[in-house]
Amino acid sequence: MTDLPGVLPDILIAPSVLPADFSRLGDECASLEAAGVDRIQWDVMDGRFVPNLTFGADVIASCRDRVSVPFEAHLMIEQPDHLLASFVNAGCSIIIVHAEACLHLHRTLAAIRELGASPAVALNPHTPIDSLSHVLDLLDMVLVMTVNPGFGGQAYIPTMEPKVRATRQLLDTADHWIDLEVDGGISAATVAGAARAGANVLISGSAMFKHAGGRAAAVTELRDLARAAWAARG
Ligand code: DX5
């Protein structure tokens, strides 16, 4: 990742596996890697923090050896502390916890680093970015949700763009580069607005899996649009 001011950061395109065929998850991961994704996001849901239930660490572990791209675990679960090691051991190199789900966020992020993974924090649409102010030194990435978590295929919330912009400004006060990821409703129609606001990691589920040209075309289109938008930020 670049840490030189004014130098373009990596624009990373990552799919959420939420729309994938769950009966063929290993093959789906291989297909996404072949399509050129930079990494794969696993949406872990517990049915309590969000009104949906997906998969645990064992499912992710079963797909780890099928591809070489990094895995990130988006933990939409309450009190994630007791499961952090499971997801790292399953092969996730980036662990995203929700600020709203962590009673002691500073301790949780430090624990992720101690496990040898990259700590990241996600903010739901209503959550102020001030909750990041005292943990910047522990972070490698921040995820600003552009939908309310729990389901794929929701509409992008454009009023999150000022929040993305303010978050990028906050992260730029840190003494190291911190990636800014957005997740929810990212498509060819919305990716430029998110990147122009300051997001350099774009998560796409529905738009990538349903793209008329296929997954490789979706990755290329999203990456090109995001790079052009970022470069136009001035
Ligand atoms: C919400 C999920 C979705 C998913 C992306 O909890 O995190 O945002 O990753 O789904 P799409 O791209 O279909 O909005």
Side-chain angles (χ1 to χ4, degrees), residues 51-124:
N52 196 1
L53 189 60
T54 54
F55 34 66
D58 290 348
V59 171
I60 298 171
S62 69
C63 297
R64 178 59 279 179
D65 294 340
R66 294 293 307 273
V67 294
S68 56
V69 292
F71 282 174
E72 63 176 54
H74 178 190
L75 301 183
M76 288 166 272
I77 64 177
E78 289 185 351
Q79 298 167 10
D81 295 86
H82 65 294
L83 289 174
L84 298 176
S86 304
F87 287 100
V88 175
N89 295 337
C92 297
S93 51
I94 300 159
I95 304 291
I96 307 168
V97 293
H98 268 261
E100 306 87 354
C102 296
L103 204 54
H104 302 289
L105 180 61
H106 187 283
R107 177 185 290 149
T108 301
L109 295 171
I112 294 168
R113 181 77 74 194
E114 187 63 31
L115 287 165
S118 280
V121 62
L123 302 178
N124 285 333

Side-chain angles (χ1 to χ4, degrees), residues 169-200:
Q169 288 167 354
L170 174 62
L171 301 185
D172 286 346
T173 66
D175 63 2
H176 66 292
W177 176 264
I178 302 171
D179 282 324
L180 205 175
E181 179 174 285
V182 292
D183 176 0
I186 298 299
S187 68
T190 59
V191 68
R196 200 166 28 247
N200 72 296

Side-chain angles (χ1 to χ4, degrees), residues 109-156:
L109 295 171
I112 294 168
R113 181 77 74 194
E114 187 63 31
L115 287 165
S118 280
V121 62
L123 302 178
N124 285 333
H126 75 284
T127 304
I129 68 172
D130 294 352
S131 49
L132 302 171
S133 301
H134 303 293
V135 294
L136 293 181
D137 60 310
L138 294 171
L139 288 173
D140 286 341
M141 184 171 75
V142 169
L143 163 52
V144 173
M145 292 299 294
T146 45
V147 294
N148 288 291
F151 301 95
Q154 301 180 85
Y156 175 78

Side-chain angles (χ1 to χ4, degrees), residues 27-38:
D27 294 339
E28 292 279 63
C29 287
S31 161
L32 290 164
E33 182 175 57
V37 299
D38 294 295

